[in-house]
């Protein structure tokens, strides 16, 4: 009786405790599951956010590189085409204004310095900033070497405005040296870039909401750009919030590759916060910078935390409701203690059933109200829960799905297990079979859970990307009774990721295409420029005002000096009236070539052919300038040669007839002298007649030799032997005038391939001219050596200290019958020239009045000994 009474007193209390514990356990399980889902979703959100910002950081880094490289190229172009010698002129400021306008939004200031690094001009004009930059230039801010002609300075600090002298911003200076027309260093062109402005140009939109901060670090770990100006210039380790994170912090920033990480650091306000940092390298002119996009972790996961907070508050409300309900149940149970045991057990059973129903409805309500599409299946693979979010995702209502096993058909064409089915069966090997290619992995937050990704076409009328998370559900004894699976629609995130990737690929392809196009254009430009510069003619492009816009066949400095000036500045006064008349005719449509004689820089007169042509579709004129001096001289030479050839043929015929007549006269004189035996004056008259006949015979022989020279019978000969033979033949003439002969022959002189008789005749003619030009006791120098410029020739130089030749006679020396002697034939040098021509040699004469004459002969050397002679000469020099 006491035992029954004790059981009746305590059984309702035990039941209440059991129900409370079970309810709290179920709610706790749901909260744990919700928290796990929240953590997994947060991690996925952080991953997506970090990858997206890493891509944005890479795009911003590429933009920064292009901006700075573009500024450097603009400075290089400016230094080549616009500077020249105008550093100290007023046009420097105007040129800087134009340069600043072309780079508007990219640079803050542009300036020009002299060769002492003193600022000559700056735009926009700002004396305070100019003084500040001049002070910075005195420091050690430049690298040891420039890259592609551009030097990029280390970090400097500049006042943001003239008024805010204590408010500084980070900046760098690009420097390109420039040189004057004499190729002397004339100073440099500077461009001051605000790093804050350059970064905001590409990553600035992310800062509009105030959630993202943009930082920049140098390759040696110094902070270059930061929202807290006190941090700039310090080592990046100053931002590390925990000493244990310093190594990972530095390794992350020195990796040199785009990426993201989760750190606890000092943010832009100086507070210690958990942040997501995405970085990308910036490589420019030998510097390796790193741009960082910094976002507080709380902002990244704010939405997930709000969802979890809503679920948590709903769960707390349910707990409160269950506590009140449990108290009510306890109160009712205590009032029924007096009922019979049977009625009590029945009542307790009804209460348990009621509680179970409420708990089931509570779980259903939690799952049904969750914004995450969720399904729960039992051990029999039939659907227990199918919430509203999943119904909206698939288009299948809960009433049609609960109690069936058709859940896989809502996603796939054929029936197949979902992850929840595989977890219920406990056969986890099937996960690789069905999800091996869908990034299947074990969840890092939910115990025994797995996650995967998949793409579905036409899922409820749309193409979708889904993220799956499936986990088992256990009872109080640890037995698996069901499995829950959530499916999150990540289509927007995936499409954004794909769009960013496609956009990055498009930009990369366009950049590569532009680079190729630019290289092709530059190659074509260089090719056309080479062709134009290779033409013998000079080409000028002149606008309607007479300003020269382009000129060929000039170096860079020459083009800068000429381009932009009026063409009349380069016309001599005596030709200006002619050029002006032709210019006016050309404006009226009459474009005809005309000739003009000018004096070149060396003082020589040159004949130019100028051909103007209008450029179709423009008001400009293309003027082609051709130097036809040599052509006219060649035409004159050809004409003279034709006259000389005709004269030679005529002379040969006359000489032939004269030779026959002179032979008869000579023979007759000899016969008459023997027969008559004259004496006295008669004998002298006979001798005079014979000498004159001999003189005329020699003249006839010279004419015939010049008019019809025989083909040379070449043989390998020693030039030294020929010279000695020639001097021996002239011994009488040399002795009579007491001429001093100085000889200098190079050792191992190669033999020559010549006709000995012809070459001897040429040498005799030249030495005789030298003897005739000198007074008694004159000096004759004969030098022979192998040519250094052309080893195929032996150089023979014959030099005297005679009276010399007047300049006006120099051009006529090789003309036949030209002589300054009283009894000369005028054919000696003409014969020598003819002999050198038939030997493919050269002869040149240099002379000045009162200084003597120098004759230089280039005689072909024997090809069999040229190589060996060159080797011996090299050994002697060594």
């Amino acid at each position: 009786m006491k035992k029954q009474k004790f059981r009746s007193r305590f059984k309702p209390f035990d039941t209440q405790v059991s129900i409370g514990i079970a309810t709290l356990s179920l709610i706790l399980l749901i909260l744990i599951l919700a928290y796990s889902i929240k953590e997994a979703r947060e991690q996925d959100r952080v991953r997506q956010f970090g990858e997206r910002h890493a891509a944005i950081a890479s795009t911003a880094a590429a933009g920064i590189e292009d901006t700075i490289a573009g500024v450097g190229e603009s400075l290089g172009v400016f230094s080549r085409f616009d500077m020249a010698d105008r550093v100290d002129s007023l046009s420097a400021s105007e040129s800087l204004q134009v340069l600043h306008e072309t780079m508007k939004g990219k640079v803050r200031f542009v300036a020009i310095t002299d060769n002492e690094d003193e600022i000559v001009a700056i735009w926009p004009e700002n004396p305070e900033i100019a003084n500040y930059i001049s002070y910075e230039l005195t420091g050690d801010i430049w690298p040891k070497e420039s890259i592609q002609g551009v030097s990029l300075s280390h970090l400097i600090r500049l006042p943001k405005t003239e008024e805010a002298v204590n408010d500084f911003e980070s900046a760098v200076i690009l420097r390109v040296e420039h040189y004057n027309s004499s190729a002397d260093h004339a100073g440099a062109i500077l461009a001051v870039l605000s790093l804050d402005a350059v970064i905001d140009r590409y990553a600035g939109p992310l800062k509009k909401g105030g959630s993202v901060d943009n930082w920049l670090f140098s390759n040696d770990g110094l902070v270059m750009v930061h929202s807290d100006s006190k941090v700039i210039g310090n080592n990046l380790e100053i931002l590390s919030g925990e000493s244990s994170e310093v190594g990972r912090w530095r390794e992350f920033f020195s990796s040199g590759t785009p990426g993201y990480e989760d750190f606890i650091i000092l943010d832009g306000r100086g507070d210690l916060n958990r942040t997501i940092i995405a970085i990308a390298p910036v490589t420019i002119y030998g510097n390796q910078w790193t741009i960082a996009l910094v976002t507080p972790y709380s902002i990244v996961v704010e939405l997930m935390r709000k969802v979890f907070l809503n679920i948590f508050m709903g769960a707390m409300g349910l707990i409160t409701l269950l506590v009140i309900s449990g108290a009510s149940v306890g109160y009712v149970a205590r009032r029924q203690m007096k009922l019979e045991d049977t009625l009590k057990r029945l009542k307790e059973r009804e209460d348990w059933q009621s509680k179970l129903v409420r708990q089931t409805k509570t779980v259903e309500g939690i799952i049904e109200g969750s914004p995450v599409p969720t399904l729960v299946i039992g051990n029999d693979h039939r659907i227990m829960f199918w919430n509203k979010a999943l119904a909206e995702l698939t288009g299948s209502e809960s009433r049609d799905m609960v109690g069936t096993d058709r859940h896989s058909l809502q996603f796939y064409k054929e029936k197949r297990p979902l992850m929840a089915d595989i977890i219920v069966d406990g056969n986890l090997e099937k996960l690789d079979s069905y999800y091996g290619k869908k990034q299947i992995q074990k969840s890092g937050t939910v115990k025994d859970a797995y996650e995967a990704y998949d793409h579905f076409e036409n899922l409820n009328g749309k193409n979708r990307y889904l993220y799956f998370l499936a986990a088992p559900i256990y009872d109080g004894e640890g037995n698996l009774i069901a499995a829950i699976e959530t499916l999150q629609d990540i289509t927007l995130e995936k499409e954004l990721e794909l769009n960013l990737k496609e956009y990055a690929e498009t930009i990369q392809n366009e950049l590569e295409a532009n680079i190729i196009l630019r290289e092709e254009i530059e190659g074509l430009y260089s090719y056309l420029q080479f062709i134009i510069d290779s033409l013998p003619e000079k080409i000028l492009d002149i606008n309607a005002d007479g300003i020269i816009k382009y000129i060929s066949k000039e170096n860079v400095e020459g083009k800068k000096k000429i381009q932009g000036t009026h063409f009349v500045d380069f016309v001599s006064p005596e030709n200006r009236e002619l050029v002006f008349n032709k210019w006016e005719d050309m404006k009226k449509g009459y474009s005809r070539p005309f000739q003009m004689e000018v004096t070149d820089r060396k003082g020589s007169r040159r004949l130019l052919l100028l051909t103007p042509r209008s450029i179709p579709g423009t008001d400009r004129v293309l003027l082609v300038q051709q130097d036809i001096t040599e052509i006219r001289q060649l035409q004159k030479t050809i004409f003279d040669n034709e006259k000389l050839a005709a004269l030679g043929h005529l002379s040969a015929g006359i000489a032939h007839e004269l030779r026959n007549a002179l032979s008869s006269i000579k023979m007759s004189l000899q016969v008459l002298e023997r027969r008559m035996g004259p004496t006295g004056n008669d004998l002298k008259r006979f001798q005079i007649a014979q000498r004159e006949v001999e003189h005329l015979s020699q003249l006839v022989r010279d004419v015939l030799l010049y008019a019809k020279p025989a083909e040379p019978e070449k043989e390998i000969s020693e030039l030294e032997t020929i010279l000695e033979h020639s001097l021996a033949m002239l011994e009488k003439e040399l002795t009579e005038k007491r001429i001093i002969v100085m000889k200098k022959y190079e050792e191992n002189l190669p033999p020559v391939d010549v006709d000995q008789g012809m070459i001897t005749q040429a040498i005799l003619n030249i030495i005789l001219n030298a003897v005739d030009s000198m007074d008694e006791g004159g000096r004759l120098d004969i030098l022979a050596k192998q040519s250094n410029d052309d080893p195929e020739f032996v150089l023979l130089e014959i030099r005297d200290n005679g009276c010399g030749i007047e300049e006006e006679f120099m051009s006529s020396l090789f003309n036949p019958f030209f002589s300054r002697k009283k009894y000369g034939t005028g054919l000696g040098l003409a014969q020598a020239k003819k002999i050198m021509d038939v030997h493919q040699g050269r002869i040149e004469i240099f002379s000045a009045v009162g200084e003597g004459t120098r004759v230089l002969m280039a005689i072909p050397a024997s090809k069999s000994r040229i190589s060996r002679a060159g080797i011996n000469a090299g050994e002697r020099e060594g």
Side-chain angles (χ1 to χ4, degrees):
M1 183 65 184
K2 291 181 179 180
K3 184 176 180 180
Q4 182 66 27
K5 185 176 180 180
F6 179 82
R7 186 179 65 181
S8 300
R9 181 179 299 173
F10 288 96
K11 188 172 183 181
F13 176 76
D14 295 339
T15 302
Q16 182 179 1
V17 171
S18 300
I19 293 173
I21 292 174
T23 303
L24 292 176
S25 298
L26 181 59
I27 293 174
L28 183 60
L29 177 62
I30 294 173
L31 291 176
I32 293 174
L33 178 61
Y35 181 80
S36 300
I37 295 173
K38 188 268 294 185
E39 287 294 317
R41 191 68 184 99
E42 281 187 7
Q43 293 299 319
D44 183 63
R45 171 64 177 167
V46 168
R47 178 184 59 79
Q48 295 176 7
F49 184 87
E51 292 175 351
R52 183 168 64 251
H53 272 223
I56 294 173
S58 297
T59 302
I64 293 171
E65 293 174 356
D66 290 344
T67 296
I68 298 178
V71 171
E73 291 177 358
S74 297
L75 292 183
V77 171
F78 183 75
S79 69
R80 292 193 298 270
F81 292 100
D82 287 326
M83 288 308 302
D85 296 326
R86 299 188 293 178
V87 171
D88 295 325
S89 65
L90 181 59
S91 60
S93 296
E94 298 174 355
S95 298
L96 285 181
Q97 183 178 3
V98 174
L99 177 62
H100 188 269
E101 288 296 325
T102 59
M103 299 186 294
K104 191 172 184 180
K106 295 183 180 179
V107 300
R108 185 174 175 190
F109 295 95
V110 289
I112 299 175
T113 68
D114 56 20
N115 55 7
E116 298 295 334
D117 265 355
E118 293 294 334
I119 293 180
V120 175
I122 185 171
W123 191 266
E125 295 180 349
N126 190 323
E128 294 295 329
I129 293 298
N131 292 335
Y132 200 93
I133 295 175
S134 297
Y135 174 75
E136 290 289 345
L137 292 178
T138 61
D140 185 15
I141 65 170
W142 301 111
K144 295 182 178 179
E145 297 180 356
S146 62
I147 304 298
Q148 301 175 354
V150 180
S151 299
L152 180 62
S153 74
H154 303 313
L155 176 68
I156 67 170
R157 306 295 303 281
L158 287 180
K160 290 185 178 179
T161 61
E162 293 184 15
E163 295 79 14
V165 295
N166 294 322
D167 190 7
F168 291 87
E169 66 178 354
S170 299
V172 292
I173 302 176
L174 268 73
R175 177 189 182 109
V176 174
E177 308 296 332
H178 73 85
Y179 300 86
N180 58 23
S181 58
S182 301
D184 296 326
H185 182 259
I189 307 168
L190 309 179
V192 182
L193 285 81
S194 170
L195 293 179
D196 302 80
V198 172
I199 294 176
D200 288 343
R201 183 183 181 93
Y202 297 97
L206 298 176
K207 299 177 63 176
K208 290 183 177 179
S211 59
V212 178
D213 199 1
N214 302 325
W215 299 349
L216 186 68
F217 303 89
S218 66
N219 54 355
D220 53 359
L222 295 182
V223 181
M224 302 177 69
V225 176
H226 195 276
S227 55
D228 185 1
S229 60
K230 298 178 181 178
V231 176
I232 296 176
N234 292 300
N235 194 281
L236 60 85
E237 294 177 0
I238 195 175
L239 300 174
S240 178
E242 298 180 2
S243 58
S244 60
E245 292 287 311
V246 171
R248 187 168 71 94
W249 172 258
R250 175 168 287 279
E251 180 181 358
F252 173 64
F253 276 92
S254 62
S255 62
T257 57
Y260 72 96
E261 283 289 351
D262 179 358
F263 290 96
I264 297 177
I265 64 170
L266 295 174
D267 59 14
R269 296 182 298 273
D271 299 327
L272 198 63
N273 280 318
R274 184 180 182 185
T275 56
I276 304 299
I277 302 179
I279 65 169
V282 180
T283 303
I284 184 69
Y285 292 126
N287 290 272
Q288 181 76 35
W289 299 344
T290 302
I291 184 173
L293 306 182
V294 183
T295 308
Y297 185 91
S298 60
I299 293 177
V300 176
V301 300
E302 182 179 12
L303 179 61
M304 297 297 101
R305 290 184 174 179
K306 287 182 178 180
V307 173
F308 175 76
L309 181 61
N310 292 335
I311 295 175
F312 178 79
M313 294 303 295
M316 292 302 296
L318 291 175
I319 292 173
T320 303
L321 180 60
L322 290 174
V323 170
I324 296 174
S325 300
S328 300
V329 171
Y331 176 74
V332 172
R334 283 193 295 272
R335 291 186 60 185
Q336 299 298 326
M337 289 179 58
K338 297 180 178 181
L339 298 177
E340 296 291 336
D341 290 342
T342 302
L343 294 177
K344 288 180 181 180
R345 284 195 296 271
L346 292 175
K347 185 62 178 178
E348 289 173 357
R349 185 179 302 168
E350 291 176 359
D351 291 340
W352 274 104
Q353 291 175 350
S354 177
K355 290 179 181 180
L356 183 59
V357 169
R358 284 198 299 271
Q359 292 174 355
T360 301
K361 290 182 177 181
T362 299
V363 174
E364 288 178 351
I366 295 174
I367 296 176
E368 183 68 20
S370 173
V372 179
T374 306
L375 66 88
V376 178
I377 62 172
N379 286 332
D380 56 357
H381 298 282
R382 294 188 177 276
I383 300 172
M384 298 175 62
F385 297 104
W386 185 276
N387 71 352
K388 185 178 181 180
L390 186 56
E392 293 176 353
L393 177 66
T394 60
S396 299
E397 296 295 332
S398 174
R399 61 178 177 272
D400 299 327
M401 299 303 299
V402 174
T404 69
D405 59 355
R406 295 185 288 106
H407 42 284
S408 63
L409 295 176
Q410 309 307 308
F411 305 97
Y412 303 101
K413 295 181 180 180
E414 298 179 355
K415 192 173 182 180
R416 49 158 285 179
L418 299 184
M419 285 199 301
D421 295 300
I422 297 174
I423 290 175
V424 166
D425 290 337
N427 188 7
L428 300 180
E429 288 78 8
K430 288 185 177 181
L431 289 173
D432 289 334
S433 300
Y434 288 99
Y435 294 92
K437 297 181 180 180
K438 300 175 182 179
Q439 304 179 43
I440 181 69
Q441 62 179 357
K442 194 169 184 179
S443 174
T445 56
V446 181
K447 182 181 179 181
D448 298 333
Y450 289 86
E451 57 186 23
Y453 298 85
D454 202 354
H455 175 256
F456 298 93
E457 295 184 357
N458 195 22
L459 179 59
N460 194 19
K462 295 182 180 180
N463 292 334
R464 301 177 187 270
Y465 289 92
L466 298 182
Y467 164 72
F468 302 92
L469 178 65
I473 299 176
Y474 301 99
D475 61 11
E477 298 179 358
N479 298 319
L480 192 149
I481 59 174
I484 184 171
E485 185 167 347
T486 61
L487 305 94
Q488 299 183 45
D489 188 352
I490 59 171
T491 305
L492 292 178
E493 291 86 343
K494 195 68 175 180
E495 289 178 349
L496 179 59
E497 178 183 347
L498 294 175
N499 290 337
L500 287 175
K501 184 176 181 181
E502 292 176 358
Y503 179 67
E505 292 176 352
T506 301
I507 292 178
Q508 181 66 27
N509 293 335
E510 291 179 354
L511 179 60
E512 292 176 355
N514 289 336
I515 292 175
I516 294 173
L517 179 60
R518 178 178 177 180
E519 291 176 350
E520 291 176 351
I521 292 174
E522 289 178 349
L524 179 60
Y525 176 80
S526 299
Y527 175 69
L528 295 177
Q529 186 67 41
F530 174 76
I531 292 177
I532 293 174
D533 289 340
S534 299
L535 294 175
E537 297 82 5
K538 182 176 290 186
I539 299 175
L540 296 90
D541 180 6
I542 306 174
N543 66 11
D545 298 326
I547 303 302
I548 299 174
K549 308 301 291 183
Y550 171 80
I551 183 170
S552 66
K553 299 180 74 63
E554 291 285 347
N555 56 29
V556 175
E557 295 299 328
K559 288 183 178 179
K560 288 182 179 180
K561 188 175 181 180
I562 296 175
Q563 291 174 177
T565 59
H566 201 282
F567 73 89
V568 77
D569 295 342
F570 303 97
V571 179
S572 59
E574 66 269 17
N575 292 320
R576 287 186 180 177
E577 183 178 358
L578 170 64
V579 173
F580 269 121
N581 292 335
K582 295 296 182 180
W583 177 255
E584 293 300 325
D585 292 342
M586 187 198 57
K587 287 184 177 179
K588 297 176 182 178
Y590 303 105
S591 299
R592 296 180 180 177
F594 62 95
Q595 296 180 6
M596 182 173 66
E597 189 172 3
V598 299
T599 303
D600 63 11
R601 297 173 182 175
K602 298 180 179 179
S604 302
R605 300 294 289 176
R606 312 295 295 180
L607 183 62
L608 303 181
L609 176 63
L610 302 174
T611 306
R613 288 291 185 270
S614 297
I615 301 176
T618 69
D619 60 351
R620 302 200 308 275
V621 175
L622 190 69
L623 183 65
V624 179
Q625 174 185 308
Q626 183 180 8
D627 188 345
I628 60 173
T629 306
E630 284 76 13
I631 296 177
R632 287 302 173 88
Q633 291 176 351
L634 181 60
Q635 291 174 346
K636 183 178 181 300
T637 302
I638 293 173
F639 180 71
D640 292 342
N641 289 338
E642 290 175 350
K643 290 194 300 181
L644 290 174
L647 180 62
H649 288 296
L650 177 62
S651 300
I654 295 172
H656 182 72
E657 296 297 331
L658 288 175
R659 184 172 61 177
N660 294 335
L662 289 173
S663 297
S664 299
I665 293 172
K666 183 178 181 180
M667 185 179 299
S668 298
L669 287 173
Q670 291 174 353
V671 171
L672 288 174
E673 182 181 5
R674 285 195 299 269
R675 287 182 180 181
M676 296 175 64
T679 60
N681 290 332
D682 293 335
L683 179 60
K684 291 181 179 179
R685 291 188 182 97
F686 267 100
Q687 291 174 346
I688 291 172
Q690 289 177 353
R691 284 200 304 270
E692 291 300 324
V693 169
E694 185 64 31
H695 176 70
L696 290 175
S697 298
Q698 181 63 38
L699 176 61
V700 169
R701 285 194 298 271
D702 290 343
V703 170
L704 289 175
L705 178 62
Y706 176 77
K708 289 185 177 181
E711 287 295 325
E713 298 179 1
K714 296 182 179 180
E715 58 180 332
I716 298 176
S717 307
E718 296 294 337
L719 182 58
E720 184 177 353
T721 301
I722 296 174
L723 289 171
E724 294 298 330
H725 177 66
S726 300
L727 291 173
M729 294 176 67
L730 296 173
E731 183 178 0
K732 176 184 177 183
E733 287 79 1
L734 295 171
T735 303
E736 288 178 351
K737 279 196 167 185
R738 299 195 302 276
I739 301 299
I740 301 173
V741 180
M742 304 298 295
K743 298 178 288 185
K744 184 178 180 181
Y745 305 147
E746 187 180 66
E747 295 182 6
N748 296 322
L749 192 68
V752 293
D753 192 7
V754 296
D755 184 316
Q756 291 190 24
M758 287 186 175
I759 294 297
T760 301
Q761 183 64 48
I763 294 173
L764 288 174
N765 292 346
I766 293 171
I767 294 178
L768 280 174
N769 283 343
V771 171
D772 291 341
S773 68
M774 291 187 292
D775 296 329
E776 289 188 3
R779 173 171 172 166
L780 181 69
D781 292 287
I782 301 176
L783 297 88
K785 65 177 182 177
Q786 187 174 15
S787 173
N788 294 327
D789 297 331
D790 192 349
E792 295 183 358
F793 289 90
V794 174
L795 297 181
L796 173 60
E797 182 178 350
I798 301 175
R799 184 169 63 238
D800 65 65
N801 61 349
C803 60
I805 305 171
E806 290 83 351
E807 183 178 357
E808 61 265 25
F809 298 138
M810 293 296 294
S811 60
S812 303
L813 293 179
F814 295 116
N815 292 341
F817 308 110
F818 173 78
S819 176
R820 296 187 303 132
K821 303 177 184 178
K822 292 181 180 180
Y823 300 103
T825 64
L827 293 173
L829 290 179
Q831 285 181 353
K833 179 70 166 61
K834 202 81 170 183
I835 291 171
M836 294 307 297
D837 289 342
V838 298
H839 280 81
Q840 288 81 45
R842 300 189 302 273
I843 181 171
E844 296 178 275
I845 299 179
F846 307 92
S847 181
V849 176
E851 296 181 5
T853 302
R854 183 167 65 96
V855 180
L856 187 64
M857 302 172 66
I859 304 173
S862 174
K863 298 185 183 298
S864 62
R865 294 272 306 276
I866 290 174
S867 177
R868 183 58 190 168
I871 294 174
N872 292 337
E875 291 175 352
R876 291 196 302 275
E877 291 177 0

